[in-house]
Amino acid sequence: MAWMRAEEHLCAIAGRKTVNPELSDILLMRGDSSVVRVLASNPGAEMTSAGLAMMVDASERDDNIASALMTRSDLPHRVAADLVMRSTPRQQARLLKLARPDIQDAIRAAIDASTARAAVKPPATIDYTEARATVTALNKSGQLNDSSVNRFAIRREVHNVAAALAHLATVPIETIAPLMEAADINGLVIACRASRLNWNTTAAVVSYRKAGLSVVPEELERAREMFERLPLSNAQRTIRFGSLSDLMAKPAQAARGA
């Protein structure tokens, strides 16, 4: 019952006429799905890029959050496209109808890209055996640290980076691998924070992860600000449970963090 009262209080905060970006991030980390719905529907709630990324994660399991996000007047084109790319064909058609006119072309392009991607044969499974062995050896010798991960990153040894982050954050490599390929760097920054890496190493990981995935200085600066604000415990919970939606399924744990 105490948890339910806490969530009602968070919903009330999320529904205020104005909610600043820092408070929005706190609500996203601590609230359940009802809090996220209220926040997504509130035009006076400002969002950070990290907060928007977490809301897109939550929308994969909640159509109401997806709909609320799509109707926001401040939703960036790239976030709208990411939201659509993660949706089913039925959901995509609904989101297109809800989208404001100025982003409908971007939504149609995202739907076309999603359809084309679904038609392509999935890539072969990557063998991480050698990367795991390399990381295990470094860990046993006490050398699995910022220096070794930084070196992997600069050399673009992406398999070794993924294996190192998985070991340090105590998650499967399958959790880390998609983050190495994603255009949005927020998930990877959270993984680095959960791995107890410093910012210099994190910057190297997101900057050198793959040829063709460039990071502009402004995006890197926003990522640094998020990295420095994000508590280690929150980063570890988020990455270990895979998404904000999974975290919200643990009300007792969320209450202890509130």
Side-chain angles (χ1 to χ4, degrees):
M1 294 300 294
W3 175 76
M4 290 177 66
R5 287 195 295 273
E7 293 306 313
E8 289 174 359
H9 179 61
L10 292 178
C11 280
I13 296 173
R16 288 176 180 172
K17 188 173 182 179
T18 59
V19 183
N20 66 44
E22 292 76 16
L23 181 54
S24 290
D25 278 354
I26 293 171
L27 292 168
L28 286 168
M29 285 292 184
R30 296 186 176 183
D32 68 358
S33 56
S34 62
V35 176
V36 182
R37 289 189 206 107
V38 172
L39 198 63
S41 302
N42 183 358
E46 297 181 67
M47 306 290 177
T48 64
S49 57
L52 284 171
M54 289 188 288
M55 295 187 90
V56 171
D57 279 346
S59 72
E60 290 191 73
R61 291 186 176 88
D62 193 316
D63 284 352
N64 291 325
I65 294 174
S67 297
L69 269 178
M70 187 56 71
T71 58
R72 290 186 65 89
S73 63
D74 59 349
L75 188 71
H77 288 208
R78 63 176 180 78
V79 178
D82 186 28
L83 176 60
V84 169
M85 292 285 280
R86 298 194 194 192
S87 302
T88 65
R90 180 186 63 80
Q91 292 168 330
Q92 288 175 346
R94 178 174 52 81
L95 293 175
L96 178 59
K97 291 180 181 179
L98 292 171
R100 61 183 194 266
D102 65 298
I103 64 172
Q104 287 190 352
D105 285 345
I107 299 304
R108 291 190 183 93
I111 291 174
D112 290 343
S114 178
T115 302
R117 185 176 62 180
V120 175
K121 183 179 179 180
T125 302
I126 298 172
D127 185 356
Y128 285 97
T129 303
E130 185 176 343
R132 283 192 178 97
T134 298
V135 167
T136 299
L138 284 172
N139 185 59
K140 286 182 178 179
S141 64
Q143 298 180 69
L144 183 58
N145 50 32
D146 277 283
S147 178
S148 56
V149 177
N150 200 307
R151 186 166 58 250
F152 288 151
I154 291 174
R155 293 175 179 174
R156 284 202 165 96
E157 297 175 3
V158 292
H159 295 175
N160 287 343
V161 172
L165 292 181
H167 186 96
L168 292 168
T170 322
V171 295
I173 287 183
E174 289 75 16
T175 298
I176 303 296
L179 304 180
M180 301 291 294
E181 301 282 339
D184 192 305
I185 65 175
N186 292 307
L188 191 55
V189 171
I190 292 172
C192 290
R193 180 73 179 100
S195 300
R196 299 176 184 268
L197 299 177
N198 63 34
W199 170 247
N200 288 337
T201 301
T202 300
V205 168
V206 301
S207 298
Y208 293 98
R209 61 208 161 109
K210 184 179 179 182
L213 287 177
S214 59
V215 182
V216 298
E218 293 80 6
E219 186 179 13
L220 199 60
E221 177 60 20
R222 288 194 297 269
R224 181 189 65 79
E225 292 173 358
M226 179 189 76
F227 178 89
E228 293 178 350
R229 284 201 317 267
L230 183 62
L232 175 63
S233 59
N234 284 355
Q236 290 176 332
R237 283 200 300 270
T238 300
I239 199 66
R240 286 171 185 170
F241 287 105
S243 73
L244 185 64
S245 298
D246 292 327
L247 179 59
M248 290 188 298
K250 303 287 185 180
Q253 183 176 357
R256 287 196 295 271

